[in-house]
Amino acid sequence: MIGFGLLAIALVASAIFVVTAKKPVYSVVGLLVNFIALAITYLTLHAEFLAVMQIVVYSGAILILFVFVIALLSSGVKPFAQGPDKAPRILVPALVCGTVGVVAVIIASMQTRFAPEAIYGLVGQADVFGSVSDFGSALFHHHLLPFEVTAFVLMVAIIGVVLLAGDDVPPQRRRKRAREPIARPDREPIAR
Amino acid sequence: MNAPVEAYIALSSILFFIGIVGVIARRNPLIQLMSVELLFNSANLALVTFARTWGNNVGHIFAFLVITVAAAEAAIGLAIVAIVFRKTTFVDVDEVATLKG
Amino acid sequence: MTHPLLILIWLGPLVGAMLLWTFGPQLRTLAGPIASALVGVSFLAAVSEWSSATLIDGAMQGVREPLFAWLPQFAFGLQWDRISLVWTLIITGVGFLIHVYSIGYMSGERAFARFFAYLNFFVFAMLTLVLSDNVVGLLVGWGLVGLASYLLIGYYIERPSAVAASRKAFVINVVGDVGILFAVFVIVAKVGAIGYGDVFGKLAAFTPAELFIVCLALFIGAAAKSAQVPLHTWLPDAMEGPTPVSALIHAATMVTAGVYLIARFAPLWSASSDARMLAGSIGALTALTGAILGCAQWDIKRILAYSTMSQIGYMIMGVGVGAYDAGILHFLTHAFFKAQLFLGAGIIIHNLGNEQDVRKMGGLRKQMPFAFSAMLIGVCAICGVPGFSGFFSKDAVLTETLAHGHPVMWLVGVITAGLTAYYMSRMLYVTFFGAYRGNIDPSELGMRHPELAGTAASPDHHPEADDHGHAHAPAWLMSGPVALLMIPSTLIGWLAFGGDASPWSRYFAPVFPADVPVAGTPPDWVTSALVLALIVAGAGVAYLRYGNARALVDAIPRLRTEAVRMPAVLVNAFYFDSAIDALFVKPAQAVGRWFGSVVDPHVIDAGVREASISANWLGHLFRSFETGLVRAYALTIAFGVACFAIYYVVIGVAR
């Protein structure tokens, strides 16, 4: 119970820190703490493979991606400048909705009858619920199709990113123009 | 489990709504995307909790797929942010309001 | 179809009307002969079907030609019995003569074909009325006849007075239509079927009060169509139509539709003494009113119009009290002599270049001898000079009225006969005797509104002051029919010679119940003698005022004095028009104006405006959601999620 309590505090605190940090880099660090706490939580829930997956994919790949983009967008005269707030006082309704939602979910979950807890074996044994072999056999036997589709989704994502964020000059003219810097603060803004 | 199911669900929902408030209340698109990652993670927590409750590892599979898709989505989202804010001095979501009608 | 000739009789004029409506401008002068020929064919077909009308087959009289049955109780068809035979012969016979006359009278009119289309349509409508074997067909014919009258009175569409007159006629007819409609509703509700046979078979289902209500409603319709008091005000104004129209519709046929109605519904009327009292009284009152007002008119057509009203009063009185064959006999004779009078007046008007005021006539006896003889015969017939047709029919009506126990109505009728002689003689003397006054200044003659005296010529009719026929139409087209009409005007009354043994009485014996005289009735010759005495008296007074040598010499000052000193009550026709105007027309116009100024802009327009405003407002409301801000959209998503969560609390997940 204490373990759960500590983990819960860590998760919530880091989440709040992510949301309220001044600089994005701080938010990234907060997010990292959040992911690690979450991985440990998965371990308490007998989801070993998923815990590792959380660390490897989320903190190892996605957060790095975030860091890169932050670096990309900060290379300018005035990084992360922000215009006037066009939806002031939007926080209050958001907090209200959030609170109501949380309370509602908690009440709903308290009204639900769940099955009595099963006792599983020690963490780390093979073929036990939540072990890697259990997960793997389920994934490749029963859920092969979603797995393959996910691979497809990732491929589409890669193609999309390449198309979106590649050079914005058409191929013919590439030879004529020199390579341009990525951030062009002197051009007029896109959305007005 | 160290705590009753309701506690895990409560935790998941708290994280979820923190993520939502983050999307609403922050104007920096990068932080909004990070809040979206929080949303995904809260959902994953709920999935794993229920997998443990019912003893069914479909929850784990689903959570794995969610992670994968979240990765793809983060990539695309960041690419869009990079494009949209490539040419501006501002990094402000409020400026991208061309759908205003 | 067992009797194809009936269909021919009925639909022939309709075919003519359709043809002339469609191809009028192309047919032009051919329209007249085509229309006349179709009506003539109907007449010949009616004559050839005489025997089937007089057929008696047990309780069934005449023949029926079923047309179609919408429901078993709502079967439409044609009924060809003795009553409809008489009316059909008059409609098609006199109609044919008037069609031929119109070819001459209306020649040179721009809308020549349209006139004949309307005339044919009228003949068709009137035939629908008299040939139907059910109350709904009667109603249809009733309405169509009203429409035909409207179209024909307003034939001179460029003239505002004609248009107003046609509108007035139509509106008053609609009042009558409401009455008949109500009666039809009650009949159908009680009887459950529409055929005359069914209705008369189920008379026992009506209580006396209901019977009276039905008869009253029917009588309202008859009064409107037949110009009885108080719904008579349209008839004098209807003289705005061309003279053949006045002859056919407002003398011979349409205005007798009320008489036909009462004759057809004889079983109903015979069963309700209150209804008979009502009909007889109104008829007598109308006869008297028409005669009084006829004494005060200066327009030759108006004189004849009021005389029509008066004579129809006689007819209504006759059929109203139960003397059906007497009333129908008067209808028969009146059709001939009134048509003759109108057509003769038409010859005069046509030859004088559309001059209608008798004060500007005079001395036409030498200039138009044929017209004079025609009018003289007509006047003798209408007054009831012994030997002429009117004598038989008028005396029949009066004696039968007395025999049915209505001495007051009889007395009114007798007095009216005297007045009739007076004003018709007055018309004769002022028109045909003395010196011609056409060139006298109108104010000398006491004409206050000379421009209204005659009806103004239609814009493309060229008035000619000479008294010879126009070169573009042979005179025989107009004088031929008039000459032909002289014969029945004189002689047809002899059909009723001989009381109950006469051909006329025997003809109608199977149709109507026999007349049983009330005890104590004086013999018939008393009535005849009294009427003859009053005729002589009336004609004598007219002679003294207008016809003797001194009166003829002093014609102009006498006419002027009479015109100037005419009592206002007579000039305004007993203020009927003013009363109707004040009671109904002005309030209706005020209501209309109120609607136009208050309801229309503030309620209806406001409602439409409000609809558009609220649509606008709704649009603005939804537009305010489209901020384009991602964060606002995210808030709505959060709100949705919260709602979902609440749903799960309230409804609950699976337990």
Side-chain angles (χ1 to χ4, degrees), chain A residues 7-132:
Chain A
L7 282 170
I9 292 172
L11 281 169
V12 173
S14 60
I16 293 178
F17 182 69
V18 166
V19 168
T20 58
K22 279 274 187 280
K23 299 187 185 178
V25 185
Y26 295 175
S27 293
V28 171
V29 173
L31 204 55
L32 177 65
V33 172
N34 195 60
F35 288 165
I36 293 173
L38 197 57
I40 301 172
T41 312
Y42 288 163
L43 281 176
T44 66
L45 285 171
H46 295 268
E48 300 140 12
F49 183 71
L50 216 52
V52 177
M53 219 24 61
Q54 173 85 6
I55 303 279
V56 168
V57 174
Y58 251 118
S59 3
I62 295 178
L63 281 185
I64 304 299
L65 193 57
F66 270 101
V67 170
F68 271 122
V69 175
I70 291 172
L72 204 68
L73 290 181
S74 334
S75 62
V77 175
K78 210 175 173 218
F80 304 127
Q82 295 199 320
D85 191 347
K86 285 190 186 160
R89 294 166 302 168
I90 203 172
L91 186 61
V92 172
L95 284 176
V96 166
C97 285
T99 316
V100 166
V102 167
V103 166
V105 170
I106 292 174
I107 295 175
S109 67
M110 286 204 292
Q111 288 173 339
T112 316
R113 265 179 289 134
F114 291 101
E117 246 181 79
I119 308 291
Y120 296 111
L122 288 176
V123 172
Q125 284 180 344
D127 280 335
V128 164
F129 170 76
S131 68
V132 178

Side-chain angles (χ1 to χ4, degrees), chain C residues 332-558:
Chain C
L332 184 75
T333 59
H334 174 265
F336 290 117
F337 63 65
K338 192 46 67 67
Q340 183 183 345
L341 282 169
F342 264 109
L343 295 185
I347 294 180
I348 298 173
I349 295 171
H350 192 77
N351 286 349
L352 288 183
N354 286 332
E355 177 58 63
Q356 286 182 212
D357 195 307
V358 296
R359 291 174 288 195
K360 295 207 81 178
M361 298 181 192
L364 296 181
R365 191 171 41 130
K366 300 187 193 70
Q367 290 179 341
M368 299 188 222
F370 176 73
F372 174 64
S373 47
M375 299 291 273
L376 182 63
I377 291 178
V379 167
C380 289
I382 196 175
C383 293
V385 169
F388 286 86
S389 57
F391 164 72
F392 290 99
S393 57
K394 195 178 287 196
D395 278 10
V397 169
L398 289 172
T399 52
E400 291 295 334
T401 307
L402 196 57
H404 283 256
H406 301 278
V408 176
M409 292 182 209
W410 171 83
L411 190 61
V412 168
V414 168
I415 295 174
T416 308
L419 282 173
T420 306
Y422 166 72
Y423 71 79
M424 292 309 283
S425 309
R426 166 179 177 264
M427 179 190 82
L428 267 186
Y429 285 128
V430 174
T431 311
F432 291 105
F433 290 79
Y436 180 60
R437 294 184 295 275
N439 305 316
I440 308 287
D441 184 37
S443 54
E444 288 259 338
L445 295 163
M447 290 166 68
R448 291 190 204 111
H449 300 283
E451 73 279 6
L452 295 178
T455 48
S458 62
D460 44 8
H461 195 102
H462 308 288
E464 291 168 38
D466 62 89
D467 55 352
H468 290 291
H470 296 256
H472 49 267
W476 63 266
L477 276 175
M478 289 174 54
S479 48
V482 177
L484 277 176
L485 280 173
M486 283 199 224
I487 303 170
S489 288
T490 325
L491 297 177
I492 206 150
W494 291 95
L495 274 178
F497 179 66
D500 283 333
S502 64
W504 185 257
S505 301
R506 282 186 287 119
Y507 177 80
F508 274 112
V511 183
F512 299 118
D515 301 321
V516 176
V518 167
T521 308
D524 293 349
W525 62 261
V526 172
T527 306
S528 305
L530 203 53
V531 168
L532 187 60
L534 282 175
I535 291 172
V536 170
V541 172
Y543 173 74
L544 288 174
R545 279 181 66 120
Y546 305 98
N548 70 10
R550 219 178 48 186
L552 290 177
V553 166
D554 287 341
I556 297 172
R558 283 191 179 212

Side-chain angles (χ1 to χ4, degrees), chain A residues 85-88 90 93-94 97 100-101 104-105 107-108 111-113, chain C residues 629 631-632 635 638-639 641-642 645-646 648-650 652-655:
Chain A
D85 191 347
K86 285 190 186 160
I90 203 172
C97 285
V100 166
V105 170
I107 295 175
Q111 288 173 339
T112 316
R113 265 179 289 134
Chain C
L629 287 179
R631 303 198 287 149
L635 179 61
F639 177 71
V641 173
I646 293 172
Y648 277 113
V649 170
V650 170
V653 297
R655 296 183 196 276

